[in-house]
Amino acid sequence: MNDILTEISGLLWGWPMMILLLGTHVYLTFCLRFPQRHIFKAIRLSVKPDAGATGDVSQFASLATALAATIGTGNIIGVATAIALGGPGAVLWCWLTGVFGIATKYAEGLLAIKYRVKTADGRMLGGPMYALERGLGWRWMGVLFAFFTACAAFGLGNTVQANAIATVAYESYGINPALTGGLVCVLAGAVILGGVKIIARVCSLLVPFMALFYVVGCLYILCVNASFLWPALKLIVFSAFSPQAAGGGFVGTTVMMAARYGIARGLFSNESGMGSAPIVAAAAQTRNPVRQALVSSSGTFWDTVVICALTGLVIVSSVLAYPDITFDNGATLTKVAFSKIPLVGTPLLTFGLLTFAFSTILGWCYYGERAVEYLRGRRWVMAYRIAFVIAIFLGSIVELSVVWNLADIMNALMAIPNLLSLLLLSGIIVHETRKYLWRNRLDRQM
């Protein structure tokens, strides 16, 4: 079964999917006149409350929850995997994917607000399923997207992350996976059972702290490797466009390999186009769709353009600094590269993996329960939360090769209908952008 799932996952995440995703990024970038140039305005809006706007949580809480789900083990292990398979040039392709992905995340956030609905009890619900139903009249496609989201939440957003936490705790400190699983289960359950406002509150506190700690730690490592920083940058750029061997302890790669693995990791990392982040963006307190679109776009900037780029620089500069580093896979490369830095290297890696994985569990639970509510109504949400918490413990103690492949498949099946809605509704996206952003009317109510 695992071999079959591996083949299906390979087909879904092959070149056609990468071309579709990256093509959507580039198309929306040009259609929207390079929304990347507004990134600093987006960052300012993300930390500024939108007084008098309607929604369940603040724009910052919405962004923090989306980042909690997005910033995961892929930002650390995933980048190293891309380097191990595609060479140092994969870092540049990963970074470029994030830059262009800002436009797609912008478009997703805009549609999330444009087509969100208000329930009888005053809550805001939205996401690609509502854009597909209300924008295109494709409820059946919205149902499929919601089903794939609910399934993916149990895989990539739950059991895979719980397993990563248990593995790190065992390898670093010898803690029994069952004990780790039980503790994570209790901690996550205390947050998850409280609903979206509790999840958003915890993420608002956790995400800035964990991201700042990781960024500062990476900057310290780069200072330690300062004499190798410029050679690392040159090697990354050169290897991205040169078919020659990379040298410096790296395996020789081709341009196609660097592009393939760098683009794939960038797409996985920032989730732009996957359709997950718009689900929580729809709950934001914002006065018009474009304000939230800008805030949502800043998530890809932090996730890929900053965190993934720093991780890549740390690994490449460490390999150049310590030629004895050898690797067979991304996890090994990451562990060895960080361990070479005295005092802070291993604790930084351990803390980053633990907090990133835990925050991903919280964010993806919200995505899953909103999908279940769309499918079956609110009465099923609590049952979903309980099942989600139980799955955290199971994920900590079982082998997950099959779950990884199932999660990859579900993520791909989420992306396809979401990308269709973005492309087919691009005219609406441009219209709203012209109305509020290009005419300097961001303060205008919807």
Side-chain angles (χ1 to χ4, degrees), residues 6-237:
T6 300
E7 289 293 326
I8 296 173
S9 176
L11 288 173
L12 287 173
W13 284 107
W15 277 109
M17 174 62 78
M18 286 193 284
I19 291 171
L20 176 61
L21 270 165
L22 190 59
T24 302
H25 292 350
V26 175
Y27 172 74
L28 290 173
T29 293
F30 283 94
C31 280
L32 298 170
R33 301 179 186 175
F34 291 84
Q36 294 87 343
R37 58 197 173 98
H38 300 291
I39 192 63
F40 294 110
K41 180 184 293 184
I43 294 171
R44 288 196 300 272
L45 288 174
S46 69
V47 297
K48 181 181 178 182
D50 199 351
T54 56
D56 299 336
V57 296
S58 68
Q59 287 182 309
F60 178 75
S62 169
L63 174 64
T65 305
L67 280 172
T70 305
I71 300 177
T73 54
N75 295 81
I76 302 176
I77 303 297
V79 173
T81 301
I83 294 171
L85 297 173
V91 176
L92 180 62
W93 289 107
C94 179
W95 186 81
L96 289 173
T97 301
V99 171
F100 284 103
I102 289 173
T104 300
K105 192 63 72 74
Y106 170 95
E108 290 179 314
L110 190 152
L111 292 182
I113 300 298
K114 176 70 175 178
Y115 293 111
R116 69 180 178 180
V117 298
K118 190 174 184 179
T119 63
D121 57 358
R123 295 177 302 116
M124 292 294 187
L125 303 178
M129 51 277 205
Y130 293 91
L132 288 163
E133 178 183 348
R134 303 184 70 210
L136 296 172
W138 292 355
R139 175 166 169 75
W140 63 274
M141 188 71 84
V143 168
L144 286 176
F145 175 87
F147 173 77
F148 297 141
T149 301
C151 293
F154 271 100
L156 190 61
N158 182 324
T159 51
V160 167
Q161 303 299 327
N163 189 267
I165 293 173
T167 301
V168 169
Y170 178 75
E171 291 181 350
S172 300
Y173 306 106
I175 301 175
N176 189 298
L179 182 61
T180 303
L183 179 60
V184 175
C185 192
V186 171
L187 292 175
V191 178
I192 288 169
L193 296 178
V196 61
K197 292 188 177 181
I198 300 299
I199 292 175
R201 190 176 306 162
V202 172
C203 291
S204 297
L205 296 172
L206 178 62
V207 168
F209 171 73
M210 72 179 193
L212 180 62
F213 182 87
Y214 184 74
V215 168
V216 171
C218 286
L219 291 175
Y220 170 77
I221 293 175
L222 291 177
C223 288
V224 174
N225 295 342
S227 59
F228 296 93
L229 183 56
W230 180 244
L233 284 169
K234 290 196 296 184
L235 181 60
I236 287 170
V237 175

